[in-house]
Amino acid sequence: MSGGTSRERILGRVRRALADVPREERPEDHPVVRDYLRVHGERSPAETLDLLAGNLADYRALVHRVDAAGLPALLARLLAERGAHRVLAPAGLPRGWLRDARVDVLSDTPALTARELDVVDSVVTGCALAIAETGTLVLDAGPGQGRRALTLVPDHHLCVVRTADQVVDSVPQALERLAPVAARPLTWVSGPSATSDIELDRVEGVHGPRTLEVLLVAGDPRPV
Amino acid sequence: MSRDGSDVPRGGGATYLGMPAFPRAADFPRAADTATRDGRLRANLRHATHTIRAKRARAVAELDDWARLREAGAAIKDRTLRHLDHHLVRLEEAVTRAGGTVHWAADAAEANRIVTDLVRATGEREVVKVKSMATQEIGLNEALAESGIRAYETDLAELIVQLGDDLPSHILVPAIHRDRGEIRDIFRDRMASWGRPAPEGLTDRPAELAEAARQHLREKFLRAKVGVSGANFMVAETGTLVVVESEGNGRMCLTLPETLISVVGIEKTVPTWRDLEVFLQLLPRSSTAERMNPYTSMWTGTTDGDGPRVFHLVLLDNGRTDTLADQVGRQALRCIRCSACLNVCPVYERAGGHAYGSPYPGPIGAILTPQLRGLASPLEESLPYASSLCGACFEVCPVAIDIPEVLVHLRERVAEGGEVTVRGTRTVIRPAKRHATERAAMRAARWAFDHPDALRRGQRILSRTRRLQPRRLPGPGRAWTDSRELPAVPAESFRDWWARTRGGTS
């Protein structure tokens, strides 16, 4: 802790600046009307899933749909097509998911260095939830997701979404569901890395994974 | 140090001072005069602002409740600002509880000193940076350089600006004034002296330019021990910081280093976790015109085995409390730095960002800079006039900042003087010098309208001499006619015409 006097000086300036705020007003008194929508539009679960897939694809994620039983074969095919040899599996990723893949499966225990991560071909993870209206995946460092660097340094990220219970409609629903894990490091991912810095035109692929593949899995893939 | 230059340097010799962080233009009209003559700059700006403007309109139209989200965003910011002391103390407690260390910086010099000392304590001589308006505002890179610490900008546009020895000209897209050909040239000529050179035969295709940046920066990310960032939001309730970005350079800087130092303006606080549900809808659609930006990072203090082991948060005042003291002007502190107001502004589109003489260009800069710095020089005094008051900025602002209202309020302060707060102390400022002619003209007009005979005599003299009158005013009035036609004086005044004809009936 430094600048103890600056702390008091700044807080004192704030209080003097707010001399017009009535003394009896409490922090929550100023009205905030939350009449905005919790969900935009009415959709069946199937339509929500279509919206998620459409929005993910709109921002250049590659979207695949599969049932739980077909997941290992699909992962094996996607990794083979990519030519991936060294594939990272975070702690807690169901072991069966990669049983068909003819790759070296790396674990993050003990933790890999950034340079070791840099020579990984692909990383396979689950997620905490996915937001249909924005085409967003949220990772919360839970089981099967790992620490943040794992989905950042490798150039190819395969992310498995359980459609039965991990898809929400909207940003407000997502934040509500994430509130209990707010203290964990969270990463929201909407499509592969991109930039608008050159003439304000979007270009995919800068520092994060340049290829993002999303596997929307029906049924419960955990016991696989 | 170019404090005296009447022109904002582009492409060479750009230097910053601790405060002000930007080399000062003499004033906005003079700087804009140079920029508006630069055909390439105007073409680049026009293309970029029109592209993003149309995209934003589509992204916003997708949400039926945009107006209600906007009202909620404004209300949450107002609620926060009205009890900012309370929320800052809560934030400090939450961050500290989560393993972070909180520092308070009253001004730019103090913030720079804190960050420099923290970096020195790690023994490192270089840092990687996430794009941050606050660190530009305080001139952190230059302060670090004076202590022998090299700061690497890692956002693509910031990289273009840094390699080109240039200045940022847009909040979201700091290199908006550069087109792809210029960017290719900068990469080809300059990358080698900062690290990995540009690939042979680099073309101006955006995807290739992005690839060159990826390769150039990867080595820096992998070896970085200290990261420096700002933040888009700080949640007082949980102590969570939020950084919204596109490229992944932010994630690199926030995740790979051992030490993370975040410099954040005190007004970036929101009270509760739930409040993010409003801003994470408003910000991406207003800034990059996306449903959601590619990456958003949220972290709370430190986490064992994930990301930096040491986290420092530097809370920055640097004129924010002075702004807060102005009951009309304080709404500028709602700003979430989306840059929608720049992209719709007819003045920004023509003058470009450098003319505003600060990291905050465009309409928001025209109200933020004079308040953060005070009406300290002709530059700040000229900024409230850098607008046609068309109101397009207010219309697109996702937190409903009535920029025209604040502009007019600040113009009154410039022309009439009055009470302001400077570094926490209330003072009365005198009217700005250059408005003396305007005030004299207004006083003369008031006297003339109070004395009808004198007015009549004056009007007749003007009518009789009208063929001798110049098209431009002489002396101090000359600037006014630089961009305006002097109205022609009629052969006969209305009152003489009325007295002669009774309104045309006789």
Side-chain angles (χ1 to χ4, degrees):
Chain A
M1 187 79 64
S2 70
T5 54
S6 286
R7 179 183 190 277
E8 298 320 312
R9 188 186 311 154
I10 293 169
L11 288 172
R13 285 178 181 177
V14 170
R15 287 173 189 135
R16 282 196 301 280
L18 294 170
D20 60 302
V21 175
R23 289 180 67 94
E24 64 278 11
E25 183 180 304
R26 289 163 304 167
E28 61 279 7
D29 281 352
H30 184 76
V32 174
V33 180
R34 296 186 193 264
D35 59 354
Y36 47 85
L37 301 173
R38 299 296 296 170
V39 178
H40 296 88
E42 283 181 33
R43 288 179 293 270
S44 67
E47 288 167 333
T48 298
L49 205 55
D50 287 344
L51 182 66
L52 173 64
N55 283 338
L56 282 163
D58 195 26
Y59 286 158
R60 303 290 180 273
L62 306 173
V63 182
H64 310 276
R65 298 205 196 194
V66 67
D67 59 20
L71 180 61
L74 177 61
L75 278 170
R77 178 170 68 79
L78 296 175
L79 289 167
E81 284 171 5
R82 173 86 183 180
H85 298 293
R86 300 164 60 81
V87 176
L88 184 58
L93 193 83
R95 298 184 60 171
W97 287 8
L98 289 171
R99 70 177 176 216
D100 294 352
R102 308 182 71 168
V103 295
D104 292 337
V105 178
L106 309 174
S107 76
D108 189 40
T109 37
L112 300 171
T113 64
R115 285 179 199 282
E116 286 168 334
L117 287 176
D118 197 32
V119 294
V120 165
D121 297 313
S122 305
V123 58
V124 179
T125 72
C127 67
L129 57 85
I131 308 169
E133 288 182 5
T134 57
T136 302
L137 310 168
V138 181
L139 280 73
D140 70 357
Q145 301 169 56
R147 61 195 170 101
R148 288 170 288 173
L150 304 192
T151 53
L152 172 63
V153 182
D155 203 17
H156 182 216
H157 179 197
L158 296 142
C159 185
V160 174
V161 180
R162 290 198 310 262
T163 58
D165 63 340
Q166 289 188 320
V167 179
V168 300
D169 284 283
S170 66
V171 171
Q173 286 181 349
L175 281 158
E176 190 175 0
R177 203 191 274 205
L178 291 167
V181 295
R184 287 197 211 162
L186 301 180
T187 305
W188 296 41
V189 177
S190 307
S193 162
T195 182
S196 303
D197 281 349
I198 302 164
E199 300 177 14
L200 270 169
D201 269 335
R202 186 178 159 116
V203 180
E204 277 76 27
V206 198
H207 304 294
R210 286 179 290 187
T211 307
L212 172 66
E213 303 206 51
V214 183
L215 292 78
L216 303 177
V217 183
D220 188 351
R222 277 171 292 187
V224 170
Chain B
M1 299 266 159
S2 65
R3 224 197 138 98
D4 54 344
S6 59
D7 183 14
V8 180
R10 282 187 65 217
T15 48
Y16 293 74
L17 303 165
M19 174 74 190
F22 253 61
R24 286 198 183 204
D27 58 27
F28 180 85
R30 267 193 259 182
D33 190 47
T34 316
T36 48
R37 288 170 209 273
D38 184 338
R40 187 171 193 176
L41 171 69
R42 287 188 58 169
N44 292 353
L45 280 171
R46 185 181 157 77
H47 169 73
T49 55
H50 283 251
T51 304
I52 193 76
R53 195 187 284 194
K55 281 189 190 165
R56 178 206 157 270
R58 284 197 296 277
V60 166
E62 276 189 10
L63 300 188
D64 302 335
D65 58 339
W66 185 258
R68 282 173 274 170
L69 280 168
R70 180 176 184 253
E71 286 310 310
I76 292 168
K77 285 287 185 176
D78 285 352
R79 170 185 277 189
T80 316
L81 292 172
R82 290 174 74 83
H83 297 273
L84 189 57
D85 51 336
H86 168 82
H87 297 299
L88 287 171
V89 170
R90 281 181 74 208
L91 174 74
E92 179 185 43
E93 285 166 6
V95 170
T96 308
R97 203 164 47 233
T101 306
V102 178
H103 310 258
W104 301 70
D107 55 26
E110 187 174 16
N112 288 332
R113 198 163 56 240
I114 292 169
V115 177
T116 305
D117 289 347
L118 289 171
V119 178
R120 272 196 183 141
T122 66
E124 295 295 319
R125 310 293 286 175
E126 59 180 44
V127 303
V128 287
K129 279 188 70 201
V130 193
K131 178 170 144 30
S132 138
M133 299 305 299
T135 59
Q136 271 176 31
E137 175 191 322
I138 62 176
L140 177 65
N141 292 7
E142 293 66 31
L144 289 173
E146 279 172 23
S147 298
I149 298 162
R150 206 165 197 193
Y152 293 111
E153 293 292 351
T154 63
D155 171 74
L156 177 51
E158 295 280 8
L159 177 70
I160 296 164
V161 167
Q162 188 171 48
L163 292 176
D165 196 14
D166 198 353
L167 290 168
S169 67
H170 190 280
I171 290 173
L172 171 70
V173 209
I176 195 172
H177 55 290
R178 300 291 197 187
D179 60 32
R180 59 188 71 190
E182 292 176 290
I183 295 166
R184 192 265 319 270
D185 294 348
I186 291 168
F187 279 12
R188 193 187 52 206
D189 300 343
R190 302 285 301 150
M191 267 186 172
S193 57
W194 284 81
R196 183 177 173 145
E200 284 292 318
L202 181 67
T203 74
D204 65 0
R205 279 181 48 234
E208 257 186 63
L209 297 171
E211 167 72 19
R214 176 188 176 92
Q215 291 177 13
H216 179 77
L217 288 172
R218 176 117 328 201
E219 179 59 28
K220 294 185 176 25
F221 289 136
L222 294 180
R223 70 166 188 244
K225 295 283 187 286
V226 183
V228 174
S229 83
N232 295 93
F233 307 103
M234 304 186 284
V235 183
E237 175 183 50
T238 58
T240 306
L241 270 74
V242 182
V243 164
V244 168
E245 54 135 354
S246 296
E247 296 169 11
N249 65 305
R251 292 179 67 192
M252 291 279 180
C253 297
L254 299 170
T255 309
L256 296 182
E258 291 167 5
T259 300
L260 173 62
I261 305 167
S262 300
V263 182
V264 190
I266 52 175
E267 84 286 13
K268 297 283 149 206
T269 314
V270 296
T272 68
W273 175 257
R274 187 186 175 187
D275 295 326
L276 294 175
E277 72 186 18
V278 175
F279 296 109
L280 289 181
Q281 296 192 75
L282 289 173
L283 179 55
R285 289 178 198 260
S286 297
S287 74
T288 50
E290 291 163 313
R291 291 184 196 100
M292 190 59 81
N293 50 289
Y295 297 133
T296 297
S297 295
M298 302 181 180
W299 73 97
T300 307
T302 57
T303 304
D304 284 344
D306 190 343
R309 281 176 294 187
V310 179
F311 171 54
H312 294 279
L313 171 61
V314 181
L315 294 172
L316 178 70
D317 178 350
N318 204 36
R320 285 159 179 77
T321 51
D322 293 344
T323 309
L324 189 66
D326 186 318
Q327 291 179 39
V328 178
R330 70 167 59 135
Q331 57 184 308
L333 297 177
R334 290 183 198 151
C335 177
I336 56 173
R337 312 281 189 263
C338 73
S339 72
C341 63
L342 278 62
N343 301 329
V344 297
C345 178
V347 176
Y348 176 85
E349 183 187 329
R350 287 159 183 84
H354 293 152
Y356 294 81
S358 104
Y360 304 108
I364 187 64
I367 62 170
L368 206 49
T369 305
Q371 297 199 88
L372 291 179
R373 291 185 188 164
L375 297 168
S377 81
L379 171 70
E380 288 81 21
E381 288 170 354
S382 71
L383 284 174
Y385 295 86
S387 168
S388 64
L389 301 179
C390 77
C393 48
F394 178 32
E395 205 167 296
V396 297
C397 178
V399 285
I401 301 171
D402 191 341
I403 294 177
E405 181 192 20
V406 182
L407 285 167
V408 171
H409 171 71
L410 292 173
R411 286 182 187 187
E412 185 190 334
R413 194 61 79 244
V414 172
E416 306 280 332
E419 193 175 78
V420 294
T421 306
V422 181
R423 288 183 289 282
T425 308
R426 280 184 203 274
T427 28
V428 175
I429 56 163
R430 302 224 299 246
K433 280 200 187 74
R434 51 173 58 192
H435 294 268
T437 317
E438 184 188 330
R439 278 197 312 282
M442 287 298 168
R443 273 199 303 274
R446 195 160 60 219
W447 183 87
F449 288 124
D450 279 346
H451 297 79
D453 291 339
L455 179 63
R456 184 174 299 120
R457 278 198 299 278
Q459 284 175 330
R460 285 179 184 161
I461 290 168
L462 276 177
S463 289
R464 279 182 210 130
T465 59
R466 67 196 193 106
R467 287 184 211 294
L468 306 172
Q469 285 157 15
R471 303 300 295 154
R472 299 183 63 179
L473 287 172
R478 203 167 62 89
W480 195 83
T481 49
D482 273 351
S483 52
R484 296 173 187 83
E485 295 271 297
L486 201 57
V489 177
E492 186 179 31
S493 76
F494 174 80
R495 296 201 303 166
D496 284 350
W497 172 81
W498 183 269
R500 185 165 60 78
T501 65
R502 290 287 144 202
T505 54
S506 60

